[in-house]
Amino acid sequence: EDQVTQSPEALRLQEGESSSLNCSYTVSGLRGLFWYRQDPGKGPEFLFTLYSAGEEKEKERLKATLTKKESFLHITAPKPEDSATYLCAVQVPGSEKLVFGKGMKLTVNP
Amino acid sequence: DGGITQSPKYLFRKEGQNVTLSCEQNLNHDAMYWYRQDPGQGLRLIYYSQIVNDFQKGDIAEGYSVSREKKESFPLTVTSAQKNPTAFYLCASSIGQGTYGYTFGSGTRLTVV
């Protein structure tokens, strides 16, 4: 069964304290790995798509990387407005379906 | 602007009652999806449709029904057979080809009273 595991489940940082979120997956023949941000009571907002090992993408203070078994979302010098739940998802081979991890709640204190 | 509209934002259901959640998109996307989100469990797939007049069950379809009569619309009915319907429901769409991921709606929070 395809599995996506995110760790840690929750993370508290001080403003400016950099860290990384992990997403490991067991899908064979990965077609794409997606990162989303979700604010409370709202739908997920697309951040990045990664397709192959070694690929990296950046947006403001966020940088996503991909290896053959996991992806990292690096947050550099976070601000309180980066507080949200971050979701990782992988695309199942032969399908348009996405399999999601349980998410990681990030809190950045001022 | 193109996007996905879910309505209502909040919905209350009495025991034994069927309720329907609306999802409309103007992105010209072929595929549409319904997910359920519960605290600590992540998003779970209820139903999905890759083309008009066709849909498939996801991982937790029991107690739910859908229709796809138009490309733009994919309503979800939560039936009385769903014993634990209180959750946050998310509708999404995708182009349907390739690996472009999903665009999500803003969600409907359903509560049983």
Side-chain angles (χ1 to χ4, degrees):
Chain A
E1 183 180 326
D2 300 320
Q3 291 286 337
V4 179
T5 303
Q6 291 187 247
S7 62
E9 293 183 3
L11 182 63
R12 285 184 174 272
L13 300 174
Q14 289 298 122
E15 185 172 2
E17 179 186 2
S18 301
S19 187
S20 297
L21 317 179
N22 176 262
C23 173
S24 61
Y25 59 92
T26 58
V27 172
S28 298
L30 181 72
R31 294 184 64 195
L33 185 141
F34 302 83
W35 282 99
Y36 288 86
R37 169 192 169 127
Q38 186 177 23
D39 292 304
K42 297 187 177 181
E45 176 187 338
F46 172 79
L47 291 174
F48 304 109
T49 307
L50 301 167
Y51 295 105
S52 57
E55 189 174 1
E56 300 182 351
K57 290 192 176 175
E58 291 188 63
K59 180 180 180 180
E60 297 181 353
R61 294 176 293 281
L62 300 177
K63 179 181 177 180
T65 62
L66 182 66
T67 71
K68 288 186 177 180
K69 291 295 182 184
E70 58 190 352
S71 176
F72 292 93
L73 185 65
H74 307 279
I75 303 176
T76 302
K79 298 182 178 181
E81 52 261 43
D82 295 320
S83 297
T85 294
Y86 291 86
L87 304 174
C88 171
V90 297
Q91 186 155 15
V92 178
S95 169
E96 303 303 321
K97 292 190 297 182
L98 295 186
V99 177
F100 284 84
K102 294 183 178 181
M104 197 287 302
K105 183 177 180 180
L106 174 66
T107 303
V108 181
N109 296 315
Chain B
D1 289 336
I4 299 180
T5 301
Q6 289 188 241
S7 63
K9 188 172 178 63
Y10 299 98
L11 185 59
F12 298 90
R13 193 194 92 166
K14 296 181 180 179
E15 295 286 347
Q17 188 179 47
N18 293 352
V19 291
T20 297
L21 284 61
S22 172
C23 178
E24 302 277 335
Q25 55 100 358
N26 60 3
L27 299 165
N28 199 33
H29 284 174
D30 290 314
M32 297 187 74
Y33 310 81
W34 275 105
Y35 281 86
R36 169 178 172 146
Q37 188 174 35
D38 297 279
Q41 294 202 47
L43 275 67
R44 292 183 290 167
L45 183 63
I46 304 172
Y47 269 98
Y48 64 103
S49 168
Q50 295 181 302
I51 193 170
V52 174
N53 292 322
D54 188 39
F55 48 82
Q56 289 77 43
K57 293 182 178 180
D59 301 318
I60 56 166
E62 185 176 352
Y64 300 97
S65 66
V66 294
S67 64
R68 186 87 186 276
E69 298 177 359
K70 299 186 301 181
K71 186 175 183 178
E72 300 80 15
S73 179
F74 191 40
L76 173 74
T77 296
V78 184
T79 75
S80 57
Q82 172 50 241
K83 298 306 179 187
N84 185 24
T86 296
F88 190 53
Y89 291 86
L90 287 162
C91 179
S93 70
S94 70
I95 292 175
Q97 297 175 14
T99 56
Y100 299 104
Y102 295 172
T103 299
F104 281 91
S106 57
T108 293
R109 184 165 299 281
L110 173 62
T111 304
V112 174
V113 296

